[in-house]
């Protein structure tokens, strides 16, 4: 197994991921507590996380004591982004989206991080201080892009525009194409091993559940944050292979988890 730097799970992430794996099935509070137990969390911590997620409208209760993912919202849209990557791009015409942030204060570190993270989630890199850029190959117009960036947390003082020419082209190394390609290749190997017959089952059902959840979160995070670069930049073959593996991986992981929750 390659070192994928798999994410550390929290009660919040467990609830979101297990409800996602449930595929629209509402889970009871005891089933969520059981999910937490599998991942090493106490029932109390799962209850607190459930309450907070409900207050943020990320989960909803169709019936008393049962929970499922909310159907709409920025978070839901972002979580399913990987399923439609090819629909999100168009042929690149050698023009650019640019965001200038000179008017955005950096005094609040948390606000700046939120702003910077919004730009990163749409593939922008900071080529120079306060000068963020990405190829304009996204399949959306100005209003749609500005709306998505705002919803993700871009500061309102930002200046967004489209440029047909720029005096300073960005260094492609800023997108770390080689690093992302290596990550996708490692994820493909791990996903293929998990969905292949004879995967090491000595780790037990709970261990297998934990590993599926962590690998799945890493894979979907990688796909959802893909910068969607032009095809001829050579970054997309490994990504597309991972996308092709995900339906089988998700189906297998879902069966494993639902069996543990007595829903199989």
């Amino acid at each position: 197994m390659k070192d994928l730097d798999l994410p550390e799970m929290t009660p919040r992430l467990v609830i979101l991921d297990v409800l996602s794996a449930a595929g629209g099935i509402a889970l009871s509070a005891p089933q969520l507590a059981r999910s937490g137990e599998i991942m090493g969390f106490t029932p109390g911590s799962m209850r607190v996380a459930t309450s907070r997620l409900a207050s943020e409208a990320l989960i909803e209760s169709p019936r008393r004591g049962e929970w499922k993912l909310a159907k709409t919202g920025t978070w839901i849209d972002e979580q399913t982004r990987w399923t439609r990557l090819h629909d999100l791009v168009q042929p690149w015409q050698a023009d650019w989206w640019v965001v200038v942030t000179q008017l955005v204060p950096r005094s609040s570190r948390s606000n700046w991080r939120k702003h910077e993270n919004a730009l990163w989630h749409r593939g922008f890199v900071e080529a120079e201080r306060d000068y963020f850029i990405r190829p304009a190959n996204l399949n959306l117009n100005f209003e749609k892009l500005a709306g998505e960036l705002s919803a993700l947390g871009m500061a309102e003082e930002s200046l967004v525009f489209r440029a047909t020419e720029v005096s300073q082209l960005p260094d492609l190394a800023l997108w770390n194409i080689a690093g992302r390609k290596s990550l996708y290749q490692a994820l493909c190997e791990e996903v293929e091993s998990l969905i292949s017959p004879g995967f090491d089952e000595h780790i037990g059902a709970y261990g297998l559940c934990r590993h599926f959840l962590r690998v799945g979160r890493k894979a979907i995070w990688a796909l959802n944050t893909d910068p969607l670069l032009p095809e001829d930049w050579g970054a997309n073959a490994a990504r597309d292979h991972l996308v092709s593996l995900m339906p089988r991986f998700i189906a297998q992981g879902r069966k494993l988890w639902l069996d543990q929750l007595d829903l199989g």
Side-chain angles (χ1 to χ4, degrees):
M1 184 189 306
K2 288 192 175 183
D3 182 10
L4 289 171
D5 190 22
L6 295 177
E8 292 300 323
M9 301 300 289
T10 65
R12 176 189 180 92
L13 294 180
V14 172
I15 292 168
L16 291 172
D17 287 357
V18 172
L19 288 178
S20 179
I25 300 173
L27 299 184
S28 67
Q31 286 167 331
L32 291 180
R34 177 77 179 279
S35 302
E37 178 189 349
I38 291 171
M39 298 301 294
F41 299 112
T42 65
S45 66
M46 296 297 284
R47 284 193 298 270
V48 170
T50 299
S51 177
R52 288 177 177 170
L53 288 168
S55 70
E56 295 171 27
L58 292 177
I59 63 175
E60 57 191 20
S61 179
R63 290 172 295 277
R64 183 176 176 82
E66 294 186 356
W67 297 96
K68 63 191 304 185
L69 288 180
K71 295 178 181 177
T72 59
T74 299
W75 184 86
I76 297 297
D77 291 341
E78 289 300 302
Q79 286 301 108
T80 58
R81 184 175 169 83
W82 70 272
T83 64
R84 54 186 191 279
L85 293 182
H86 284 286
D87 296 332
L88 298 176
V89 294
Q90 60 187 355
W92 187 42
Q93 304 301 322
D95 50 351
W96 305 87
W97 288 113
V98 177
V99 178
V100 176
T101 62
Q102 284 177 312
L103 300 178
V104 179
R106 298 195 183 210
S107 54
S108 171
R109 191 170 298 178
S110 61
N111 287 345
W112 175 259
R113 255 197 316 267
K114 182 179 179 182
H115 161 79
E116 194 175 38
N117 196 48
L119 296 174
W120 179 75
H121 269 82
R122 285 299 176 268
F124 285 86
V125 294
E126 191 171 18
E128 295 288 343
R129 184 180 172 89
D130 294 323
Y131 168 57
F132 292 81
I133 190 169
R134 68 149 295 126
N137 66 322
L138 298 179
N139 189 21
L140 38 66
N141 59 25
F142 176 86
E143 290 76 17
K144 178 68 172 173
L145 175 63
E148 288 187 4
L149 289 171
S150 294
L152 289 168
M154 181 186 72
E156 61 182 14
E157 297 92 342
S158 303
L159 301 176
V160 183
F161 55 92
R162 188 168 186 161
T164 55
E165 295 180 273
V166 293
S167 59
Q168 183 175 344
L169 292 174
D171 184 351
L172 296 191
L174 290 169
W175 281 278
N176 191 18
I177 293 173
R180 185 164 282 270
K181 182 178 179 181
S182 295
L183 172 60
Y184 283 139
Q185 289 172 337
L187 282 166
C188 285
E189 290 181 21
E190 192 64 23
V191 167
E192 286 173 332
S193 72
L194 280 167
I195 62 179
S196 298
F199 180 80
D200 184 5
E201 297 181 356
H202 296 300
I203 62 175
Y206 278 18
L208 201 52
C209 280
R210 287 192 289 268
H211 196 54
F212 257 93
L213 212 64
R214 295 179 71 206
V215 171
R217 170 155 284 276
K218 183 75 173 189
I220 290 175
W221 170 85
L223 292 171
N224 283 338
T225 60
D226 189 275
L228 300 178
L229 301 174
E231 195 70 34
D232 59 4
W233 287 17
N236 299 336
R239 180 201 70 194
D240 292 347
H241 182 47
L242 179 60
V243 170
S244 73
L245 295 172
M246 291 305 290
R248 186 177 169 194
F249 173 80
I250 289 170
Q252 201 159 319
R254 175 177 292 140
K255 183 180 185 309
L256 180 68
W257 269 94
L258 293 184
D259 284 348
Q260 292 303 312
L261 300 177
D262 299 322
L263 292 170

